[in-house]
Amino acid sequence: MDNKISAEEMKNEGETTVKESGIESHPYAFHVSGPRNVPSPNWKDLINSSWRKDANYKRTVMACFIQAVYLLELDRQENRTEQNALAPKWWIPFRYKLVETLKDERDGSIFGAILEWDRSAALADFVLIRPSGAPRAVLALRGTILKSQTMRRDIEDDLRFLAWESLKRSVRFSGVLKALKAIADKYGSNNVCIAGHSLGAGFALQVGKALAKEGIYVEAHLFNPPSVSLAMSFRNIGEKAGFAWKRIKAMLPSKSDSQISCEERGATSFPVGLKQWVPHLYINNSDYICCSYTYADGAQNDQAAANKENAKPTNCSQAAAKLFLSSKGNQKFLEAHGLEQWWSDNLELQMAISNSKLVSQQLKSLYTMPAAQLTPVKR
């Protein structure tokens, strides 16, 4: 009997093995399209934590967790089993585990997931305690998936934001708010993060803001958050008219005490010692969905100029966020809006100014709330 195997037979056998494994050659497999040169937690992190020392590491992990949520839904749609599922490979290397999925009651699709630090897996690698800076739990939210099973509900929420710049009436909003509040109560807000991409970043921003109003400050990482809406366009037109009228009024004679402060308008800035909520926004200028976040706040500049002219500075607090801009130059939309850019090895980021006009519009209610509504910080 001839034991020799032809090259063609070996090739066919190899192709069969790949097809059977399924995950090995899939373009979304972690080893195919995931980050390179990202170390798993080890005993050295007890001394010098990557979570605390390396901002790029945290950004990479958060982006990978969001990718896992995309793949949880794709695994569900394509009926993958535990043996060939793609999603787990995107959290296991970082020693986290899946504890809950958030499902849209309208179509059963998975749009979010809660991942917790996996102490058992960490101990197997001799990581005795959770590295400094690593959150106990992360709530990750995906964006739109243009597939038949999810497209209708995803686009429905996209249009909701486009029309109203608000997602509060979506069934997903209440689910995310409930889930985030639960893990913040369980572990403490300082030990919890929320992360989202595209539509998911829109939910993360608005839910994080809702909790901040209650004094619960959760670290937020928002990738390519939506910034374009009809409501914003109409508001900008109204604001420009309002600024013009204020400049005209400033030129007219007025009493010395006629200037109205924030407090006199029935609003107040946060008292000294009350913490601000400062989300992290990751923006690509070539992405028309999120690029509006890079526009400086002209209202603040006009106000600063008016204050300088009148020599009467105000004490109104300003909303703030950490904006990180991708500096690759002009890119095609799909590349500029893609999640994978945020774990790329050659990514170059620039820290942007925090006085974004859109950030000020979206977060100003946190810092101009009536005194009776201010809630002490909860930890």
Side-chain angles (χ1 to χ4, degrees):
M1 183 177 181
D2 191 358
N3 291 325
K4 293 183 179 181
I5 302 176
S6 69
E8 185 67 25
E9 289 175 329
M10 293 178 63
K11 178 181 178 182
N12 291 337
E13 183 179 349
E15 289 178 349
T16 301
T17 302
V18 169
K19 289 179 181 178
E20 289 177 351
S21 63
I23 191 174
E24 295 299 328
S25 60
H26 198 284
Y28 293 150
F30 183 81
H31 73 279
V32 174
S33 58
R36 300 289 182 266
N37 305 317
V38 177
S40 297
N42 54 58
W43 63 270
K44 295 180 181 179
D45 279 336
L46 302 179
I47 302 173
N48 188 19
S49 173
S50 298
W51 285 94
R52 181 69 68 185
K53 301 291 185 180
D54 187 359
N56 292 330
Y57 182 84
K58 177 174 282 191
R59 184 198 68 246
T60 295
V61 177
M62 292 298 154
C64 287
F65 287 172
I66 299 169
Q67 178 73 352
V69 181
Y70 278 105
L71 294 176
L72 280 170
E73 174 55 23
L74 292 180
D75 285 344
R76 183 191 73 86
Q77 291 187 21
E78 298 174 12
N79 299 315
R80 293 195 182 91
T81 64
E82 185 177 345
Q83 286 69 32
N84 66 353
L86 295 167
K89 300 295 185 181
W90 289 82
W91 64 70
I92 289 176
F94 307 107
R95 303 302 177 261
Y96 277 77
K97 61 182 178 180
L98 177 68
V99 295
E100 183 181 346
T101 57
L102 277 61
K103 296 184 178 181
D104 191 318
E105 61 186 33
R106 299 168 297 183
D107 59 7
S109 63
I110 298 171
F111 66 90
I114 297 176
L115 300 166
E116 291 184 355
W117 174 255
D118 190 345
R119 187 169 180 270
S120 299
L123 286 174
D125 290 333
F126 304 101
V127 181
L128 305 181
I129 61 175
R130 180 168 48 92
S132 175
R136 290 284 299 273
V138 178
L139 174 55
L141 304 168
R142 68 166 175 83
T144 302
I145 296 180
L146 296 178
K147 288 185 174 289
S148 59
Q149 296 185 41
T150 54
M151 183 168 59
R152 179 184 173 187
R153 298 306 182 186
D154 286 354
I155 292 181
E156 183 178 312
D157 283 334
D158 287 328
L159 294 177
R160 191 190 309 274
F161 184 90
L162 178 63
W164 305 109
E165 202 176 348
S166 175
L167 296 165
K168 289 185 177 181
R169 293 186 179 181
S170 170
V171 297
R172 296 182 182 182
F173 182 90
S174 58
V176 174
L177 181 62
K178 180 180 178 181
L180 184 59
K181 193 168 184 178
I183 58 176
D185 290 342
K186 181 178 180 181
Y187 295 120
S189 60
N190 290 339
N191 296 313
V192 171
C193 288
I194 185 170
H197 173 248
S198 192
L199 177 61
F203 277 108
L205 177 62
Q206 295 188 16
V207 168
K209 175 183 172 181
L211 285 189
K213 287 183 177 181
E214 300 179 20
I216 303 173
Y217 294 85
V218 174
E219 184 176 316
H221 294 266
L222 315 175
F223 299 87
N224 303 88
S227 64
V228 180
S229 71
L230 296 176
M232 180 183 70
S233 300
F234 289 130
R235 184 171 60 243
N236 288 342
I237 294 173
E239 286 180 352
K240 288 179 180 178
F243 293 149
W245 174 240
K246 287 180 181 178
R247 297 300 289 269
I248 293 173
K249 287 205 312 183
M251 298 170 62
L252 299 175
S254 61
K255 296 181 180 180
S256 59
D257 59 348
S258 63
Q259 185 167 349
I260 302 175
S261 67
C262 290
E263 289 78 6
E264 290 169 336
R265 289 196 301 266
T268 182
S269 60
F270 276 168
V272 176
L274 194 56
K275 183 180 178 182
Q276 278 191 330
W277 184 57
V278 184
H280 300 68
L281 277 65
Y282 302 92
I283 309 298
N284 189 314
N285 274 328
S286 297
D287 177 10
Y288 62 80
I289 288 180
C290 68
C291 65
S292 295
Y293 277 103
T294 62
Y295 301 157
D297 190 351
Q300 290 183 8
N301 295 336
D302 289 346
Q303 183 64 48
N307 291 338
K308 184 176 181 180
E309 292 174 4
N310 297 324
K312 292 182 179 180
T314 64
N315 293 321
C316 300
S317 294
Q318 295 179 356
K322 292 182 179 180
L323 268 66
F324 298 90
L325 300 180
S326 175
S327 55
K328 276 191 173 182
N330 293 330
Q331 295 175 284
K332 294 182 179 180
F333 168 72
L334 291 180
E335 182 181 3
H337 191 67
L339 181 61
E340 59 273 15
Q341 66 180 304
W342 301 112
W343 65 68
S344 173
D345 287 337
N346 61 352
L347 178 64
E348 295 181 6
L349 289 180
Q350 296 177 349
M351 180 68 179
I353 55 176
S354 62
N355 64 329
S356 162
K357 179 178 182 178
L358 192 52
V359 169
S360 297
Q361 290 176 346
Q362 294 184 341
L363 301 185
K364 66 181 179 181
S365 63
L366 291 178
Y367 310 110
T368 57
M369 296 169 60
Q373 296 183 14
L374 290 176
T375 306
V377 176
K378 300 177 182 178
R379 299 188 182 278

